[in-house]
Amino acid sequence: MSHTDKLGNFTPEDAPDYGDVLQCMRCGFCLPTCPTFALTGRERSSPRGRVALARAVAEQKLEFTESVREEAFFCLDCRACTTACPSGVRAGEVMEICRSQAHQFFPLKHVGKTFRAFVLQKMLTNPDLLETSMLPARLYQKLGIQWLVRHSQLLKLGPEWVAKAEGMMPELHPPLRPQLPEVVPAVGEQRGRVAFFLGCIMTLMYPEVSRQTVRVLTHQGFEVVTPKEQKCCGAPHLTEGDRCTTRSLAHHNLDLFMALEVDAIVTDCAGCGAALKEYEELLEEAGEHAKLAAFKAKIKDVSEFLAEQGLRLEGLRPVDKVVTYHEPCHLCHAQGVSRQPRDLIQAIPGVDYRELNEASWCCGSAATFSLKYTGESQQILDRKLENVMATGAELLVTANPGCHLQLAWGLKRVGMPQQVVHITELLGMATPD
Ligand code: SF4
Ligand code: SF4
């Protein structure tokens, strides 16, 4: 179905695929995997219930009501239900599309509408502007205002999400994109040439992680090309129901990266990787099928890539740490990359690996879910932290900036000693200078 075909009570622009909702046979296999169903016990907040809502709108048995809107945004889009579903129903993606519908049925008013358009269409599409916008936050930290705010009662006076957003902010450093050389040569014998897709949150919040990603890749024998003109992958726009801007970003990144002669396009952000692999579906009407398929085949999460190529072990230093691994939903459920990070972690000499119970259960971050539904996000996170505690690990490895922010904030809040590290930071500890 085209993204402008009319389906029942949906608007023609970006309606879900009727075939997708018809596939649900109501077996309920997905129910135990859904964090929002576990929290509420409510059928409508389960994958099966959400698909039934979408089907009722498609079959004109229900208008696109406020309840449908609520469920579209209350879904974490964690895709755990897709992994569990024997019929291949993609309830998370159906809800993601319903968010776009929600903005058509319930458009924001005045300031909210202008602000949303500015963030999604101006700031996130312009890397220079996005990087400049972080300057006040860096000054806030550097000038000691953050210290004053945190030691006052100020944050208790505002809405809960503001306190949480402030508390989640890591120590900020200048963004990595302008600092990274366009080409970093391989160290030792060259095994290949890769492009690096540097996600917005990684360059702004975790520049050191991506610096380690490039360092690890080059030490593993790969020349790394990082095109400066790259833009946001469009994942935040999908999350917020702006599929049109995602398509325009997708065209830009597709043309830019496909003009490079590289073996793979590597990312260290699970959310970006999942969005990039979805370009083929998003742009299916553009008609560039061969190019889109070739692009998708080249997109690799860094752990997927290194596991495929085989980790070069000679010279690696031991990392004598007890380590566990939290699986980002957009890596294990959306991309099916689950075994590879564990294999890499366990290949590092000295590592004492402990498997995390419910490793692929969402951490409650889910883009803006953690700020929109602070209470529910906290409950989901508490379950994760209990499992982390039981491992006795010193390092909690993950592979997505959203999970990183949420887990680091949660550990600090309850006074747990574990340090959150990205998988390339762990590999970086083992990589010689
Ligand atoms: S979404 Fe899949 S697992 Fe869930 S009830 Fe429908 S068919 Fe069964
Ligand atoms: S994507 Fe996650 S939260 Fe949404 S319905 Fe599926 S399991 Fe539940």
Side-chain angles (χ1 to χ4, degrees):
M1 165 181 250
S2 134
H3 77 268
T4 50
D5 281 350
K6 174 93 176 110
L7 174 67
N9 285 337
F10 286 111
T11 67
E13 187 67 29
D14 277 320
D17 192 298
Y18 189 45
D20 277 354
V21 295
L22 273 187
Q23 277 168 7
C24 178
M25 52 190 181
R26 305 196 52 78
C27 64
F29 285 0
C30 55
L31 299 183
T33 69
C34 176
T36 55
F37 181 65
L39 278 182
T40 61
R42 229 171 27 205
E43 177 71 13
R44 74 168 224 197
S45 302
S46 75
R48 184 174 66 187
R50 289 182 170 121
V51 173
L53 283 177
R55 182 171 176 172
V57 178
E59 292 175 349
Q60 296 186 305
K61 292 175 181 153
L62 183 70
E63 294 297 326
F64 194 101
T65 58
E66 182 59 33
S67 307
V68 184
R69 192 196 74 82
E70 271 172 28
E71 283 312 326
F73 285 97
F74 189 46
C75 169
L76 295 149
D77 195 16
C78 69
R79 321 265 174 109
C81 51
T82 307
T83 303
C85 177
S87 299
V89 175
R90 302 181 301 172
E93 276 141 302
V94 171
M95 286 301 107
E96 199 180 76
I97 294 171
C98 282
R99 292 178 187 185
S100 158
Q101 289 283 319
H103 278 289
Q104 296 171 57
F105 282 106
F106 304 99
L108 291 170
K109 304 234 164 29
H110 316 300
V111 181
K113 190 174 177 180
T114 310
F115 181 71
R116 177 176 182 268
F118 176 73
V119 172
L120 293 178
Q121 288 154 25
K122 292 274 183 295
M123 222 161 82
L124 282 168
T125 57
N126 181 336
D128 294 329
L129 182 60
L130 185 62
E131 285 160 12
T132 309
S133 74
M134 290 303 286
L135 195 60
R138 292 215 306 280
L139 286 175
Y140 167 77
Q141 291 188 337
K142 271 238 157 2
L143 299 176
I145 306 167
Q146 182 175 55
W147 188 91
L148 288 174
V149 168
R150 286 188 176 180
H151 288 80
S152 70
Q153 299 297 309
L154 214 57
L155 289 167
K156 294 202 174 113
L157 303 177
E160 221 176 316
W161 72 266
V162 173
K164 181 163 183 191
E166 202 286 335
M168 288 172 99
M169 205 191 300
E171 192 185 332
L172 297 172
H173 299 280
L176 185 61
R177 190 186 62 101
Q179 301 175 48
L180 257 187
E182 287 251 357
V183 180
V184 184
V187 175
E189 192 189 335
Q190 185 166 340
R191 301 160 77 190
R193 185 170 199 255
V194 299
F196 183 41
F197 186 90
L198 181 60
C200 307
I201 306 188
M202 296 308 281
T203 181
L204 297 176
M205 302 272 185
Y206 293 115
E208 190 46 36
V209 169
S210 289
R211 212 188 297 278
Q212 289 302 323
T213 303
V214 173
R215 186 171 157 264
V216 167
L217 284 167
T218 54
H219 275 262
Q220 284 294 320
F222 298 95
E223 183 177 70
V224 179
V225 184
T226 310
K228 302 272 183 197
E229 308 79 32
Q230 58 183 286
K231 292 186 178 177
C232 173
C233 64
H237 308 81
L238 289 177
T239 303
E240 291 304 317
D242 179 2
R243 299 175 75 79
C244 179
T245 306
T246 304
R247 285 195 186 92
S248 124
L249 289 165
H251 277 297
H252 173 86
N253 289 324
L254 176 73
D255 292 343
L256 179 69
F257 280 90
M258 288 309 280
L260 302 171
E261 283 188 19
V262 289
D263 310 321
I265 303 161
V266 177
T267 179
D268 57 9
C269 168
C272 296
L276 294 168
K277 286 178 182 175
E278 282 169 25
Y279 281 5
E280 190 183 21
E281 210 171 317
L282 262 168
L283 301 182
E284 65 181 348
E285 288 168 45
E288 301 178 288
H289 300 298
K291 187 173 172 183
L292 283 162
F295 178 79
K296 185 177 180 180
K298 282 194 176 187
I299 301 295
K300 303 279 173 193
D301 181 79
V302 64
S303 56
E304 181 184 16
F305 178 73
L306 288 173
E308 242 173 53
Q309 300 293 320
L311 197 63
R312 208 153 68 178
L313 294 172
E314 51 291 5
L316 286 193
R317 297 184 297 218
V319 178
D320 296 319
K321 298 277 185 196
V322 183
V323 175
T324 193
Y325 173 60
H326 158 72
E327 301 200 71
C329 301
H330 280 80
L331 193 56
C332 63
H333 299 305
Q335 299 185 58
V337 177
S338 181
R339 173 192 47 78
Q340 298 91 323
R342 291 175 168 86
D343 287 350
L344 293 177
I345 295 169
Q346 292 176 82
I348 299 172
V351 162
D352 176 359
Y353 179 71
R354 310 270 172 90
E355 185 60 31
L356 178 67
N357 185 33
E358 298 181 335
S360 64
W361 189 264
C362 180
C363 65
S365 169
T368 49
F369 181 95
S370 70
L371 300 179
K372 283 180 183 151
Y373 300 95
T374 48
E376 290 84 352
S377 168
Q378 179 67 58
Q379 283 175 272
I380 299 171
L381 177 60
D382 286 346
R383 179 169 173 161
K384 178 65 66 181
L385 295 182
E386 271 177 36
N387 284 320
V388 172
M389 176 104 78
T391 63
E394 298 166 270
L395 297 181
L396 172 56
V397 175
T398 192
N400 188 55
C403 307
H404 202 137
L405 287 165
Q406 169 89 339
L407 293 166
W409 175 80
L411 290 167
K412 190 169 74 181
R413 186 173 170 274
V414 298
M416 282 170 65
Q418 284 81 10
Q419 190 192 343
V420 183
V421 292
H422 190 282
I423 190 160
T424 58
E425 287 182 292
L426 183 71
L427 289 163
M429 290 176 201
T431 299
D433 295 325

